[in-house]
Amino acid sequence: MSVRVGLIGFGLAGRSFHAPLIDAEPRLVLTAVASSRADAVLASHPGVRVHPTAERLIADPGIELVVIATPNDLHAPLARAALMAGKHVVVDKPFVVDLADGAALIDLAKRQARMLSVFHNRRWDGDFLTVRNLLASGRLGDVRLGEFCWDRFRPTIKPGWREAGGDGGGVLADLGPHLVDQALQLFGNPDNVAGDILVQRDDAQVDDYFALTLGYGRCRVRLCASTLVASARPRFALHGTMGSFVKYGIDPQEAALRADVSVVSPGFGEEQPGSFGRLTAPDGTQTQVPTERGDWRRYYAGVAAAILDGTPPPVSAEEALTGLRIIDLARRSAVENGRALPF
């Protein structure tokens, strides 16, 4: 058995991330794409149906699963339309722009008895998998400080909706959901949240810097991103009662997919030893920790299993909405000069 998939959007996310990962899952069949770029779609996926609008794809009776890879402000209305049409739905992150829309979509999916999942693919980054296994091993002891940073150096404003002044733009909406989701997976729900969110670049219309602090008793987890850091901070730094783990660099899967490297090619998702993180013991001894192989394919394998086998979705909409509630609380905190607000 297989699931016929319709993809809405063929920009970077649709073309480079969703389409190749759908193709790599044997129980999913990419059947149709909604895009104004029909030539580009057919050049890479000959034989699929190309619909000129999202509405036409949603109305296609041959589609069972709709994947939404559009600008963020379209996520909620398209997901609602797809669920009303009886389709299963995958939404790229962030799940929604407005929290009320997210709760309404969760209720609608339950009434329609359809799967609703959010594409938090970074749960299958190699560095995150390494950190998760390291924490489970107890080698760090009790963690007291965790810092997850995702830095870029982009002093010039890039054209496109992500940097335009509108709903769903800005670096917090872009990178925040991934960082918050990873923190929730490792540490659970925080006691409180504090936020510092800024516009730092000249002529920027949306936030391009954030630092969120999640409080867990005596532990603090800081989630940071900036567009003006030429020498990036560690992607992961965790400090515990038995040592520290520091890891630089970003998981290689995105760069490979952008370069049209096949997800089934040898070595896909593997990191070079020069990028491995280091574990420092209390006596200063350092040990290199090999990075686990990342594998974003596991997300769509989970989607297929949820639809065909009745297993829980790989990322539930409820989990994604919890992450967005934390981001919303961080925005409120930033308005109050970073006061920690209870979650």
Side-chain angles (χ1 to χ4, degrees):
M1 296 177 64
S2 61
V3 178
R4 298 183 298 275
V5 182
L7 172 62
I8 300 177
F10 206 68
L12 172 64
R15 182 188 68 82
S16 296
F17 305 153
H18 291 280
L21 295 172
I22 293 167
D23 282 342
E25 170 48 47
R27 297 207 289 176
L28 300 179
V29 179
L30 184 58
T31 305
V33 175
S35 173
S36 60
R37 304 168 59 213
D39 291 344
V41 173
L42 294 174
S44 58
H45 294 81
V48 305
R49 294 193 294 275
V50 180
H51 292 292
T53 67
E55 292 74 17
R56 289 277 294 274
L57 182 142
I58 290 171
D60 187 335
I63 298 302
E64 300 164 285
L65 166 65
V66 171
V67 175
I68 300 169
T70 65
N72 298 340
D73 60 347
L74 297 177
H75 289 182
L78 290 176
R80 183 181 304 110
L83 288 169
M84 290 297 296
K87 317 294 187 182
H88 302 284
V89 176
V90 164
V91 185
D92 206 328
K93 61 80 204 166
F95 175 27
V96 290
V97 173
D98 185 272
L99 295 178
D101 287 336
L105 288 172
I106 290 170
D107 288 342
L108 178 59
K110 291 177 180 177
R111 294 198 304 271
Q112 295 289 90
R114 289 296 178 266
M115 186 211 69
L116 174 62
S117 181
V118 181
F119 186 61
H120 278 294
N121 54 310
R122 295 288 175 174
R123 292 189 186 185
W124 294 275
D125 278 4
D127 48 14
F128 173 74
L129 296 174
T130 303
V131 167
R132 188 178 68 180
N133 291 339
L134 190 62
L135 289 177
S137 75
R139 296 171 70 185
L140 292 175
D142 294 328
V143 172
R144 293 290 184 256
L145 175 63
E147 295 178 310
F148 305 176
C149 295
W150 197 331
D151 293 323
R152 297 163 170 168
F153 187 65
R154 293 180 178 173
T156 303
I157 309 301
K158 291 181 66 177
W161 61 267
R162 285 184 176 83
E163 303 232 41
D167 290 341
V171 70
L172 182 55
D174 184 26
L175 301 181
H178 283 313
L179 294 176
V180 170
D181 185 69
Q182 290 180 334
L184 292 176
Q185 289 295 299
L186 295 177
F187 297 98
N189 291 343
D191 302 321
N192 51 67
V193 178
D196 183 23
I197 305 164
L198 296 174
V199 178
Q200 293 189 323
R201 294 173 298 170
D202 294 338
D203 301 321
Q205 301 181 57
V206 291
D207 58 82
D208 52 15
Y209 163 91
F210 67 80
L212 276 51
T213 301
L214 311 185
Y216 296 89
R218 290 186 290 168
C219 174
R220 295 292 180 268
V221 176
R222 289 177 54 80
L223 312 176
C224 310
S226 173
T227 50
L228 288 175
V229 177
S231 180
R233 295 168 288 183
R235 174 66 180 85
F236 288 98
L238 294 104
H239 308 281
T241 56
M242 293 174 58
S244 296
F245 175 74
V246 176
K247 168 75 175 64
Y248 287 86
I250 301 294
D251 177 273
Q253 293 176 89
E254 177 174 341
L257 287 168
R258 282 173 176 259
D260 295 326
V261 176
S262 171
V263 296
V264 298
S265 62
F268 185 89
E270 295 180 358
E271 195 170 62
Q272 296 301 309
S275 297
F276 291 172
R278 290 189 173 273
L279 179 66
T280 302
D283 63 0
T285 303
Q286 290 194 335
T287 304
Q288 194 176 56
V289 179
T291 303
E292 301 283 336
R293 180 178 181 176
D295 193 356
W296 292 357
R297 293 176 297 178
R298 289 164 61 182
Y299 174 80
Y300 272 111
V303 167
I307 295 172
L308 295 173
D309 305 330
T311 63
V315 179
S316 72
E318 290 86 351
E319 291 172 324
L321 189 59
T322 296
L324 294 182
R325 288 190 173 117
I326 288 175
I327 290 174
D328 181 69
L329 201 61
R331 293 189 188 276
R332 289 164 49 193
S333 167
V335 173
E336 300 185 29
N337 296 317
R339 182 171 70 90
L341 302 177
F343 180 68

